[in-house]
Amino acid sequence: MINKHNFARPILYLAITTGLLLLIPLIAMQFTIEVNWTLSDFIFAGILIFGAGLAYIIISRKSETLIYRVAVGFALFTGFFLIWSNLAVGLIGSENNEINLLYFLVIGVGVVGAFLTKFKAKGLMYTLIAMATAQMIITITALLIGMSEVPGSSVYEILFVNGFFITLFLVGALLFRSAADPEINAEI
């Protein structure tokens, strides 16, 4: 059972870490015009960072095993990185290209899958495979509808960037597979 003391300290550390991370672009803005964040950028980044950290704190408490906690962190980081890079520069074309909205479906698959499987390692393994599959479907769709003709989105770029995230989701699935395997857990 989670008591308030055991839960409050990680939340405090997370809030401090989030604040410190947000200082990086704030300080960078003082020295370069390349970094130009608005208040809404800071708010969204803060929510995204704090939300991912809070999700880790809550979900990782579902198991005492190290491999499960690593898998949760890896999966959340991959989802965080997908959202961050998609909003920052876009995975296909620029961040304003409407097809990039489809990547939020990948995150949706992860959220729904996690809740449906009650955050069990085996279920999360299948959830990450489903996320990789959704990412693959988006990739194929983008190529079939000619998104490789959009500036900054060659066939190679679309395949490489999406293949990178597909690989990360599959590595996460393997980590959850290890967390679900009682023989492996007994050795750790």
Side-chain angles (χ1 to χ4, degrees):
M1 181 168 174
I2 301 172
N3 65 39
K4 288 182 183 179
H5 178 69
N6 288 341
F7 197 64
R9 187 169 295 183
I11 299 293
L12 176 62
Y13 293 152
L14 174 60
I16 291 168
T17 302
T18 300
L20 290 173
L21 287 172
L22 291 175
L23 282 176
I24 296 169
L26 183 63
I27 292 169
M29 286 174 56
Q30 310 311 308
F31 297 101
T32 179
I33 59 171
E34 297 293 319
V35 180
N36 187 19
W37 284 30
T38 64
L39 178 61
S40 61
D41 291 331
F42 281 100
I43 291 170
F44 185 78
I47 290 170
L48 190 59
I49 293 166
F50 188 84
L54 183 61
Y56 177 79
I57 291 168
I58 293 169
I59 298 168
S60 66
R61 291 173 181 258
K62 299 280 184 188
S63 175
E64 293 295 322
T65 64
L66 177 62
I67 191 70
Y68 181 87
R69 290 172 181 241
V70 168
V72 168
F74 191 85
L76 286 170
F77 174 78
T78 301
F80 172 88
F81 190 49
L82 176 66
I83 292 170
W84 189 276
S85 57
N86 191 29
L87 291 175
V89 294
L91 299 184
I92 298 175
S94 73
E95 67 273 12
N96 298 324
N97 193 325
E98 290 182 2
I99 196 164
N100 287 318
L101 294 174
L102 292 176
Y103 292 104
F104 290 102
L105 292 174
V106 176
I107 302 302
V109 167
V111 170
V112 170
F115 280 102
L116 287 176
T117 63
K118 299 178 182 170
F119 300 94
K120 302 281 188 209
K122 187 173 183 181
L124 291 172
M125 174 190 72
Y126 290 123
T127 297
L128 284 165
I129 291 170
M131 291 173 78
T133 303
Q135 184 105 19
M136 193 178 320
I137 290 168
I138 293 169
T139 305
I140 293 168
T141 302
L143 292 172
L144 289 176
I145 65 172
M147 293 309 296
S148 60
E149 303 301 320
V150 173
S153 290
S154 67
V155 171
Y156 172 77
E157 289 167 325
I158 292 172
L159 288 174
F160 177 78
V161 169
N162 286 282
F164 174 74
F165 283 105
I166 291 166
T167 302
L168 291 179
F169 286 127
L170 293 176
V171 168
L174 289 173
L175 289 169
F176 278 116
R177 180 182 178 275
S178 295
D181 190 342
E183 291 178 10
I184 293 173
N185 288 336
E187 294 174 9
I188 293 178

